[in-house]
């Protein structure tokens, strides 16, 4: 079935018709390898390959869910013993969906669930350095000099030191002997936040991811619930 190129791209998540027109004008859209300068043109997505920035546009509508993961669930599609994050999702295409990256069983917060393999691949690529921000409660009173250590990268027992990370000490509580911190890392190593804090002598007591790339966990999303990403959020993620 034929449809207008601009409508097709808008439906595929490339923004409003006006935004799509801009992308076309910027010569970023190709039909079967040829730049198209005309949004009114009729195309047949089943017969032709439409690409934006050299990436083919999928005709299959994809799903993007933002889950507020509670503690107690493992990040996996299935597990013989434990509850998985997928147990929290009710979708007719659940079999195709998977979590992007991993949060530990006791970690809460933002987890992206999708069926978009290429996007997941890009977001998790070690070359992309996609930022991930965590809020944590750690044992003891963190001192400001930790910020420099995190910024310089540190040895946490891996082959290479960590990439520079941004640490903000939100508050310290000497009477109760804990600190609240915000930490942005640009990798996704196993237990990375816990191991980085451990390396400067602080144990993570509570961990929650509050941002992943351009996505931010909305406080109104209760633990265990999820929502679809907005068109704008999908676009920002896939940029
Ligand atoms: N770092 C950790 O230590 N645990 C997580 O779940 C995520 C990042």
């Amino acid at each position: 079935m034929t449809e207008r190129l601009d409508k097709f791209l808008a439906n595929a998540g490339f923004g409003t018709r006006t935004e799509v027109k801009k992308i076309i004008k910027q010569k970023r859209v190709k039909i079967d390898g040829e730049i198209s300068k005309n949004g009114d043109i009729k195309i047949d997505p089943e017969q032709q390959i439409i690409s934006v920035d050299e990436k083919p546009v999928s005709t299959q509508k994809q799903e993007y869910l933002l889950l507020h993961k509670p503690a107690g669930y493992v990040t996996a599609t299935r597990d013989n013993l434990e509850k998985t994050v997928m147990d929290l999702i009710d979708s007719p295409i659940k079999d195709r969906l998977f979590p992007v990256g991993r949060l530990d069983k006791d970690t809460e917060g933002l987890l992206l669930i999708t069926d978009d393999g290429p996007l997941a691949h890009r977001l998790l690529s070690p070359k992309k350095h996609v930022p991930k921000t965590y809020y944590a409660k750690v044992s003891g009173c963190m001192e400001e000099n930790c910020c420099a250590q995190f910024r310089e990268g540190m040895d946490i027992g891996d082959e290479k030191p960590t990439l520079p990370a941004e640490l903000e000490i939100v508050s310290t509580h000497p009477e109760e002997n804990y600190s609240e911190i915000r930490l942005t890392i640009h990798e996704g190593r196993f237990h990375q936040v816990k191991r980085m804090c451990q390396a400067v002598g602080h144990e993570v007591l509570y961990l929650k991811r509050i941002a992943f790339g351009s996505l931010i966990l909305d406080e109104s999303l209760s633990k265990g619930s999820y929502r679809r990403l907005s068109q704008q959020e999908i676009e920002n993620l896939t940029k």
Side-chain angles (χ1 to χ4, degrees):
M1 215 174 63
T2 61
E3 62 182 302
R4 283 170 61 117
L5 175 63
D6 53 3
K7 186 158 173 261
F8 168 78
L9 290 172
N11 287 341
F14 288 89
T16 59
R17 288 262 194 114
T18 316
E19 286 162 336
V20 162
K21 281 208 170 81
K22 211 157 110 194
I23 298 176
I24 294 171
K25 217 169 146 203
Q26 291 165 339
K27 301 188 181 159
R28 292 161 58 195
V29 178
K30 287 185 179 171
I31 302 172
D32 287 335
E34 297 286 325
I35 291 173
S36 171
K37 295 178 196 149
N38 185 0
D40 307 339
I41 199 170
K42 292 270 188 183
I43 51 142
D44 182 348
E46 269 157 34
Q47 304 295 330
Q48 293 168 299
I49 296 172
I50 315 301
S51 63
V52 176
D53 297 334
E54 307 298 335
K55 288 184 217 106
V57 178
S58 168
T59 48
Q60 194 180 13
K61 195 108 185 72
Q62 280 171 312
E63 189 70 290
Y64 302 89
L65 304 174
L66 189 159
L67 170 70
H68 186 164
K69 178 193 176 297
Y73 289 78
V74 295
T75 308
T77 44
R78 54 174 66 91
D79 193 285
N80 288 338
L81 299 172
E82 310 269 12
K83 290 181 289 185
T84 78
V85 289
M86 297 312 292
D87 293 333
L88 298 162
I89 307 293
D90 178 20
S91 160
I93 60 154
K94 195 165 151 173
D95 285 354
R96 292 213 305 266
L97 299 175
F98 57 87
V100 179
R102 235 174 63 100
L103 291 178
D104 297 336
K105 186 178 166 188
D106 58 354
T107 302
E108 298 182 349
L110 191 164
L111 190 63
L112 174 65
I113 312 260
T114 186
D115 56 346
D116 186 341
L119 174 71
H121 191 74
R122 264 182 280 140
L123 290 172
L124 298 175
S125 160
K127 289 189 201 128
K128 295 274 181 206
H129 303 167
V130 171
K132 298 154 196 96
T133 303
Y134 294 85
Y135 161 84
K137 272 187 190 165
V138 301
S139 64
C141 288
M142 247 200 195
E143 308 241 341
E144 282 299 326
N145 63 10
C146 288
C147 297
Q149 288 176 270
F150 278 69
R151 205 181 312 122
E152 279 152 25
M154 54 171 74
D155 180 2
I156 57 169
D158 293 341
E159 218 171 279
K160 285 188 188 159
T162 56
L163 287 178
E166 296 90 56
L167 170 68
E168 182 195 344
I169 301 170
V170 178
S171 63
T172 53
H173 304 263
E175 317 79 43
E176 291 110 325
N177 199 33
Y178 76 91
S179 309
E180 292 178 286
I181 61 165
R182 247 192 306 270
L183 176 62
T184 301
I185 58 174
H186 301 266
E187 304 160 280
R189 302 190 197 182
F190 183 62
H191 293 333
Q192 183 164 349
V193 174
K194 291 173 184 166
R195 289 196 290 144
M196 288 175 86
C197 292
Q198 195 71 60
V200 291
H202 299 270
E203 187 195 345
V204 170
L205 308 171
Y206 171 79
L207 188 59
K208 176 180 181 178
R209 182 155 67 188
I210 54 176
F212 178 49
S214 54
L215 286 179
I216 292 172
L217 181 67
D218 16 351
E219 283 307 321
S220 57
L221 195 65
S222 60
K223 265 183 241 175
S225 57
Y226 62 91
R227 65 166 176 84
R228 282 213 164 102
L229 295 195
S230 67
Q231 236 12 64
Q232 187 64 57
E233 284 174 316
I234 297 170
E235 240 176 83
N236 290 345
L237 260 192
T238 49
K239 253 186 214 162

